[in-house]
Amino acid sequence: MKEKSEKVKIPFNKPFLTGREIRYIKQGVKSGQIAGNGKYTQQIQSHFKNRFNFQKVLFTTTCTHALEMTGLLLNVKAGDEIIMPSFTFVSTANAFILRGAKIVFADSNPRNPNIDPSQIEGLINEKTRAIVPVHYAGIACEMEKIMEIANKYDLFVIEDAAQAIDSYYKGRPLGGFGHLSAFSFHETKNITAGEGGMLIINDPQFNDRAEVIWEKGTNRADFLRGKLSRYDWIDIGSTYYPSEISAAYLLAQMEELDKIQQKRKKLWKTYFDLLFCLEENNVARLPYIPPDSAGNAHMFYVVLNDPQERDPLISWLKGKGITTVFHYQSLHRSPFFKDQHDGRELPFSDHYSDCLIRLPMYYTLRVEQIRWICSEVKQFLL
Ligand SMILES: *Cc1c(COP(=O)(O)O)cnc(C)c1O
């Protein structure tokens, strides 16, 4: 009986398929060019660039690699300090740890898991090179304040926009504020290539070198454009672009972005409206989206008041066949980093680590299913 009741009825995530992915991949395979930086890569890049009006974009193997490229582009070296939230994915930090930098973790703000801008200034010293805001759940960080601080101290800003496709702050798309930004097309994101990412270059001083680093440290991109008669090794780099198969898959998804977003936003709003009573009854907090910004329904989460309630709630829902999951564990407390942390308490980061729970969110989820999920959540919490 127990086995039957624990069968998964609603998974946490299901990747969306447009139906055109296979056709595009087939065409790519037939054309005979499936290595990277071919026709589909060019197409997905121009589609993405034009859609969000970015200055320059490069399709990458992952968002993790796009972030690594930013570390290379800034020439981050041992002794440099990089400020970022502790409540984030390991890739945000690894990109700079790999270059020998010291990570200085900041706390989240009380209203959502994004970096608290009022803390940043106190963490800056002469070794600080960059601030890396992470738009958690696709919800905008306070980019105006962050850019103001960065300009005052002459620091770079790199947006970890992994979750933030089609999110806006003051009418401008996220990923368009920092000097550099990175998006993800991992299977769990709003549109996907299985694995994939996009480096956004907003500061044109990085245009040429970004392409060289992306092409294994060579000027092959200029050679392909017919600007050079051969290509040479001119800098450090790696293979930071995926094969055309990934680009073909992603192009099919990108073409359906509006349809995907419309559906996700409807699902997100259904959750928000049905669970608003949790906030009214003071048993949990819902996502806070700052004024003048628009989220992208990447994720729906609830922050419980009491960490003791989370595991029982997850088990209760699992018993009904509904899969829910918690999320990041503060990186300053991780086995890898805890001995390197300077000992500052980051209570809000820890609070989100202990109390945040993510509810199912994917394109084919139905409004009736959300009604059911919400009634189970309410039955448990109210
Ligand atoms: C998904 C994610 C990444 C990593 O993206 P990949 O494409 O899997 O490398 C980095 N940062 C954040 C905040 C993410 O959500």
Side-chain angles (χ1 to χ4, degrees), residues 315-332:
S315 306
W316 160 270
L317 293 169
K318 188 171 172 232
K320 309 274 175 179
I322 301 165
T323 314
T324 58
V325 283
F326 56 87
H327 212 187
Y328 303 132
Q329 299 301 294
S330 293
L331 292 182
H332 73 284

Side-chain angles (χ1 to χ4, degrees), residues 74 129-132 150 154-158 179 203 205-206:
L74 299 191
R129 292 288 314 283
I131 306 165
V132 189
D154 201 18
L155 304 175
F156 288 106
V157 172
I158 295 154
H179 300 81
D203 181 343
Q205 69 162 305
F206 297 113

